[in-house]
């Protein structure tokens, strides 16, 4: 399958419009129609119904593969182009909101001392965007976080040959407001499944996503943002509970962290990079994960 045709197909399916996809891609509507016709002729099946524009059953199956395929192609292109260029004295670091903390800040400060002319850019992104950014070369390094069993790696999307290194682990707690019935169980801990009847805040970026199997948690409100202070304010006001690293809760007033006793979970942070990083990137890797030196 021609990736140009596949990219056009995903745009039409996303926009539910041939004209909308043409505007997005900078093509004429006629060119978009020709791309779709060529792809359907190649596969021998109809991929899109025309009125309304929507994927057929075959088109829906193709969409499931199209995103990962196009991302892998972009990652491969970035890897090849990067290999043919001289390394630049710059580092672009992507981090999920809960992954950027004192360790990252300290490592960047030491890099500035060791290589003062290195230009550093830090981008706070959602976890999936950090992984994709490292794979495609838009980021030199990524720092991501999540819930995991002690010493287990994070479950990350498969986007190509990336190296994942453990940056750190700390206790994961349920953040509750002062005065909450659970506040007195800080030491004894609580089973996560016993909290299914409680109200939770759905904050995919500002909090740690619940582990697989915790889908039954009741959601009181969705928090779309990366500002952890805003999330803690909602917890403090009694709008719902949230999973957070213990250090984040300890630094907040009016909020208590209750240990998760089962399943046994930690807040894990991992560093992501591609093969053959340049000197400034290697230096930062060594500062973030000293055992790699």
């Amino acid at each position: 399958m021609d990736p140009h045709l596949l990219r056009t197909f995903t745009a039409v399916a996303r926009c539910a419009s041939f004209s909308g996809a043409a505007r997005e891609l900078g093509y004429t509507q006629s060119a978009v129609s020709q791309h779709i016709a060529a792809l359907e002729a190649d596969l021998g099946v109809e991929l899109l119904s025309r009125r309304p524009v929507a994927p057929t059953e075959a088109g829906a199956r193709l969409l499931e593969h199209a995103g990962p395929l196009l991302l892998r192609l972009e990652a491969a292109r970035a890897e090849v182009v990067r290999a043919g260029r001289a390394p630049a004295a710059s580092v672009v670091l992507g981090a999920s909101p809960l992954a950027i903390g004192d360790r990252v800040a300290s490592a960047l400060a030491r890099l500035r001392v060791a290589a003062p002319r290195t230009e550093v850019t830090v981008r706070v992104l959602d976890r999936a965007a950090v992984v994709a950014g490292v794979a495609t070369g838009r980021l030199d390094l990524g720092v991501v976080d999540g819930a995991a069993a002690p010493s287990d790696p994070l479950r990350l999307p498969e986007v190509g040959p990336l190296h994942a290194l453990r940056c750190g682990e700390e206790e994961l707690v349920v953040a509750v407001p002062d005065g909450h019935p659970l506040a007195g169980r800080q030491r004894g801990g609580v089973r996560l499944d016993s909290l299914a009847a409680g109200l939770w805040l759905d904050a995919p970026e500002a909090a740690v996503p619940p582990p697989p199997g915790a889908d039954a948690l009741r959601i009181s409100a969705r928090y779309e943002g990366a500002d952890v202070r805003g999330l803690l304010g909602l917890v403090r006001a009694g709008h719902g509970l949230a999973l957070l690293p213990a250090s984040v809760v300890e630094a907040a007033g009016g909020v208590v962290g209750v240990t998760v006793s089962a399943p046994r979970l930690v807040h894990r942070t991992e560093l992501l990079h591609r093969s053959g990083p340049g000197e400034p990137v290697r230096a930062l890797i060594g500062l973030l994960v000293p055992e790699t030196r």
Side-chain angles (χ1 to χ4, degrees):
M1 290 177 287
D2 186 325
H4 295 292
L5 305 184
L6 195 58
R7 191 169 285 108
T8 300
F9 165 69
T10 60
V12 174
R14 183 175 59 257
C15 297
S17 165
F18 281 67
S19 59
R23 287 191 298 273
E24 178 179 302
L25 298 171
Y27 297 154
T28 64
Q29 185 170 338
S30 175
V32 169
S33 298
Q34 290 172 17
H35 283 192
I36 299 302
L39 184 58
E40 290 178 330
D42 178 31
L43 296 174
V45 294
E46 184 182 43
L47 298 172
L48 293 164
S49 60
R50 276 21 181 206
R51 292 186 180 179
V53 175
T56 62
E57 184 175 351
R61 300 290 79 75
L62 180 58
L63 277 176
E64 292 176 0
H65 296 280
L69 283 171
L70 291 172
L71 183 57
R72 284 299 297 268
L73 283 171
E74 189 177 353
R77 177 185 177 84
E79 190 77 11
V80 171
V81 171
R82 186 182 61 85
R85 292 176 177 169
S90 65
V91 175
V92 181
L93 171 70
S96 51
L98 288 174
I100 184 166
D102 291 342
R103 177 187 290 267
V104 173
S106 176
L108 290 174
R110 284 178 285 159
L111 179 67
R112 189 177 67 243
V113 173
R117 294 189 177 183
T118 300
E119 181 179 318
V120 176
T121 301
V122 178
R123 296 176 183 163
V124 179
L125 306 164
D126 64 62
R127 295 172 181 88
V130 173
V131 177
V134 176
T136 58
R138 291 190 291 268
L139 302 173
D140 297 307
L141 286 173
V143 186
V144 293
D145 72 290
S151 300
D152 275 5
L154 295 177
R155 296 182 179 180
L156 300 175
E158 172 55 49
V159 295
L162 295 182
H163 300 274
L165 304 171
R166 175 187 175 277
C167 273
E169 289 182 357
E170 68 168 299
E171 187 179 27
L172 190 65
V173 299
V174 179
V176 304
D178 278 345
H180 190 279
L182 290 176
R185 299 177 63 177
Q186 286 176 267
R187 295 184 179 179
V190 64
R191 293 182 57 88
L192 196 58
D193 58 10
S194 71
L195 302 180
L199 293 179
W200 287 77
L201 292 165
D202 180 15
E205 299 311 324
V208 178
D215 300 334
L217 299 180
R218 294 173 59 205
I219 303 301
S220 65
R222 180 173 176 84
Y223 182 76
E224 297 182 350
D227 185 354
V228 180
R229 293 176 302 174
L231 174 66
L232 287 167
L234 292 176
V235 173
R236 191 180 297 114
H239 291 286
L241 313 179
L243 276 178
L244 288 167
S247 60
V248 171
V249 177
E250 288 169 3
V255 179
V256 173
V258 181
T259 302
V260 178
S261 60
R264 184 73 180 92
L265 297 172
V266 294
H267 177 251
R268 182 180 174 95
T269 306
E270 291 184 357
L271 175 70
L272 305 178
H273 70 91
R274 302 182 302 277
S275 298
E279 179 54 39
V281 177
R282 285 201 304 271
L284 185 53
I285 292 172
L287 293 170
L288 285 166
V289 189
E291 56 265 31
T292 61
R293 290 177 175 174

